[in-house]
Amino acid sequence: MTNGWGRDELEASVIAYISMLNAGRRDQKINKAEIYRQLSSRFGRTESAFERRMSNISHVYHMNGREWVKGLKPLSNVGSNVLRVIEELINENDEFSSLPTIDFEQSVTKLLETKNLPKPKGTI
């Protein structure tokens, strides 16, 4: 896993994120700082690392056109391999799974950034 994040850390983060999302849907108060503290003590990363990871998870929800946790603005600064794993874990753990879109979205973004693309050949 890139940046040293193991699948178990990512899965714990996704499960905690889904729990926060579901609590928000029920208008329940969420103590995000406590969740970050628990994950930090479990895995030995800083609380701010888990907060940023939660914002990366928001990014995946956003890319899939789905609601994300209020207060966790989507951050796109995450590697494509980690994005794929996060999307997979969301689909495994969230009752509202969706079709994978990360690879497609990244391909489109890459093409949009490419200059001097050849014009498509049409038929006359």
Side-chain angles (χ1 to χ4, degrees):
M1 197 64 41
T2 59
N3 296 331
W5 283 77
R7 187 176 178 92
D8 57 337
E9 292 174 291
L10 292 173
E11 185 169 29
S13 299
V14 166
I15 290 169
Y17 186 96
I18 292 168
S19 176
M20 288 189 287
L21 186 60
N22 289 333
R25 288 175 180 149
R26 293 186 300 271
D27 291 325
Q28 295 176 332
K29 292 199 177 216
I30 304 166
N31 187 340
K32 293 178 193 140
E34 179 57 30
I35 292 168
Y36 305 150
R37 268 192 293 281
Q38 289 172 4
L39 289 167
S40 175
S41 68
R42 181 175 167 193
F43 293 104
R45 290 191 184 273
T46 64
E47 294 169 27
S48 62
F50 282 101
E51 182 177 16
R52 285 188 305 277
R53 183 57 72 201
M54 297 296 178
S55 290
N56 294 144
I57 296 169
S58 288
H59 175 66
V60 175
Y61 272 87
H62 178 70
M63 287 181 74
N64 281 287
R66 297 179 57 197
E67 168 191 17
W68 37 274
V69 174
K70 289 178 176 67
L72 287 173
K73 184 177 178 182
L75 289 178
S76 61
N77 61 335
V78 60
S80 60
N81 290 336
V82 173
L83 278 176
R84 281 188 208 98
V85 172
I86 289 172
E87 183 177 48
E88 179 182 311
L89 290 168
I90 288 169
N91 285 328
E92 289 174 8
N93 291 284
D94 192 346
E95 61 190 46
F96 301 108
S97 64
S98 61
L99 294 173
T101 60
I102 297 298
D103 288 335
F104 172 75
E105 291 292 333
Q106 288 179 326
S107 296
V108 169
T109 300
K110 190 178 212 177
L111 285 172
L112 288 172
E113 293 171 351
T114 304
K115 297 183 191 270
N116 301 322
L117 284 174
K119 291 184 180 182
K121 295 178 182 176
T123 58
I124 299 179

